[in-house]
Amino acid sequence: MKVLVIGGGAREHALCRSLSLDPEVTALYCAPGNAGIAEVAELHPVDALDGTAVARLATELGAELVVVGPEAPLVAGVADAVRAAGVPCFGPSAEAARLEGSKAFAKDVMAGANVPTARSYVCTTPAEIDEALDAFGAPYVVKDDGLAAGKGVVVTDDVDVARAHALACDRVVIEEFLDGPEVSLFAITDGTTVLPLQPAQDFKRALDGDEGPNTGGMGAYSPLPWADPKLVGEVLQTVLQPTVDELRRRGTPFSGLLYAGLAITSRGVRVIEFNARFGDPETQVVLARLKTPLAGLLLGSANGTLDVAPALNWHDDAAVTVVIASHNYPDTPRTGDPIEGLADVVAKDAPHAFVLHAGTRQDGDAVVSAGGRVLSVTASGKDLTQARERAYAAVGRIRLDGSQHRTDIARKAAEEA
């Protein structure tokens, strides 16, 4: 089949890489893409938020499946426009994507589905904000109700910092702090059938030891040797299936990728948040481990035929991804710096390690930085220790002036495995 992927980050590069390895995919396009994606897919310019333009491009290319990567186009209704043009699309409708587009809507769906989550208040006035902060106490968890590219959440012991973030939002969700480790679990769904993938863990803080500001994610690993083997089955039964059933009951069926951010608390599993798309950087490690060809799964979601999909197959290997970010990320990252060493990784580390591009662009013969998170260096190995060694060896070959990366991705899990 001919597949068009919408987006231009490391998540889309991971999707394109997996699709390029799928024998069912006869032509692969990406719009707008990036310098790395250009090596596996034919790039086309498009405004990813313009549903009419995306649908027109899909029709012109004869695409038989469109995969919408980022959250903003989904919330903007791009998947609806593609489906209206008669092209199968992997990704939820604008109505269903409110599960990510509005924290308040997600809380309402969870209440209706009896899904375990943190107690919370939705606030729109300074008085409501102060009342909610006082009710929960420190540590304070303050979430912008809308999309914020992974940076709309503040967790702090400082009430003034919490209040300032809340006041800067039009509408804010303030909730109780959830203790325990966090887990990301993806599921592919057609609105009825739910196929969970393997869990991963990401690292949201900018600096080693989970210090520094929140980011879109600085690395990830899978599998989780410390997690209960029954975790995926439990989350499917208590979180994923009830949520999909509730949205269908409301007349807004959710098809596409349902992402559950979970806290494994002392009182059991609790949902921190839902996303309506593959998470970045967890996609990089989860897809590196997926043995089942990807295109058929995504098409099954788009066509409503996941009930006849075969059981998923996984590589036994572990996978680790390390994000290389630009100078001053996540504040105002510097861009336009040349990236060197990419060919060295291909020559010396393939096939166990590879580089996925996030914020890059081609500038003549050079590849230069074009965003905050620039590259995701991903590696597999027989266990997390070997996967880490391979990932960091590849990171060491890449030169980007002023760049930063965490040195402790998956370290604790590898030591305890």
Side-chain angles (χ1 to χ4, degrees), residues 1-4 19 22-29 40-42 61-65:
M1 74 182 88
K2 296 180 179 180
V3 183
L4 169 63
L19 289 166
D22 187 336
E24 294 294 314
V25 176
T26 53
L28 182 59
Y29 312 102
V40 295
E42 182 180 298
L61 294 173
E64 293 153 292
L65 173 65

Side-chain angles (χ1 to χ4, degrees), residues 354-369:
F354 52 90
V355 179
L356 297 168
H357 292 231
T360 69
R361 63 179 174 84
Q362 196 77 34
D363 184 11
D365 292 335
V367 176
V368 301
S369 60

Side-chain angles (χ1 to χ4, degrees), residues 91-246:
S93 65
E95 272 293 302
R98 289 178 65 209
L99 202 60
E100 177 169 5
S102 168
K103 303 287 191 297
F105 175 74
K107 288 289 187 182
D108 187 61
V109 170
M110 283 188 267
N114 200 28
V115 167
T117 187
R119 294 179 297 121
S120 64
Y121 295 102
V122 180
C123 307
T124 55
T125 68
E128 290 174 348
I129 288 167
D130 288 339
E131 187 178 338
L133 292 173
D134 289 342
F136 287 130
Y140 304 99
V141 181
V142 183
K143 299 181 175 182
D144 190 333
D145 179 56
L147 292 179
K151 294 182 281 290
V153 179
V154 165
V155 181
T156 179
D157 288 323
D158 188 327
V159 69
D160 293 328
V161 172
R163 182 179 288 112
H165 182 64
L167 291 171
C169 305
D170 291 333
R171 192 180 192 208
V172 67
V173 175
I174 297 174
E175 63 184 39
E176 67 174 327
F177 177 77
L178 297 174
D179 65 328
E182 295 185 13
V183 172
S184 300
L185 186 61
F186 303 157
I188 295 173
T189 179
D190 58 9
T192 303
T193 301
V194 181
L195 293 181
L197 305 184
Q198 288 288 302
Q201 186 175 59
D202 76 329
F203 294 75
K204 293 185 174 66
R205 298 282 185 173
L207 307 176
D208 283 8
D210 291 328
E211 300 290 331
N214 252 355
T215 72
M218 294 298 290
Y221 69 95
S222 179
L224 313 181
W226 50 267
D228 188 329
K230 298 176 183 173
L231 176 65
V232 173
E234 178 188 344
V235 174
L236 175 62
Q237 186 176 356
T238 63
V239 174
L240 299 170
Q241 193 70 56
T243 300
V244 168
D245 291 346
E246 173 68 11

Side-chain angles (χ1 to χ4, degrees), residues 18 22 287 289-295 297 310-315:
S18 290
D22 187 336
L287 291 187
R289 298 187 58 225
L290 180 64
K291 192 183 292 187
T292 301
L294 185 61
L297 290 174
L312 301 183
N313 287 321
W314 297 90
H315 294 288

Side-chain angles (χ1 to χ4, degrees), residues 150-151 153 202-219 322-331 372-373 392 402-409:
K151 294 182 281 290
V153 179
D202 76 329
F203 294 75
K204 293 185 174 66
R205 298 282 185 173
L207 307 176
D208 283 8
D210 291 328
E211 300 290 331
N214 252 355
T215 72
M218 294 298 290
V322 179
V323 170
I324 297 177
S326 55
H327 177 72
N328 207 35
Y329 176 77
D331 294 328
R373 292 186 295 172
Y392 280 106
S403 67
Q404 55 177 314
H405 66 271
R406 283 185 58 160
T407 66
D408 62 348
I409 303 301

Side-chain angles (χ1 to χ4, degrees), residues 26-103:
T26 53
L28 182 59
Y29 312 102
C30 187
N34 63 37
I37 295 173
E39 296 175 6
V40 295
E42 182 180 298
L43 301 192
H44 291 267
V46 79
D47 177 354
L49 296 175
D50 185 339
T52 301
V54 172
R56 185 188 310 118
L57 176 62
T59 303
E60 289 172 357
L61 294 173
E64 293 153 292
L65 173 65
V66 173
V67 179
V68 182
E71 60 272 27
L74 292 168
V75 172
V78 168
D80 304 84
V82 172
R83 279 190 278 267
V87 182
C89 186
F90 179 81
S93 65
E95 272 293 302
R98 289 178 65 209
L99 202 60
E100 177 169 5
S102 168
K103 303 287 191 297

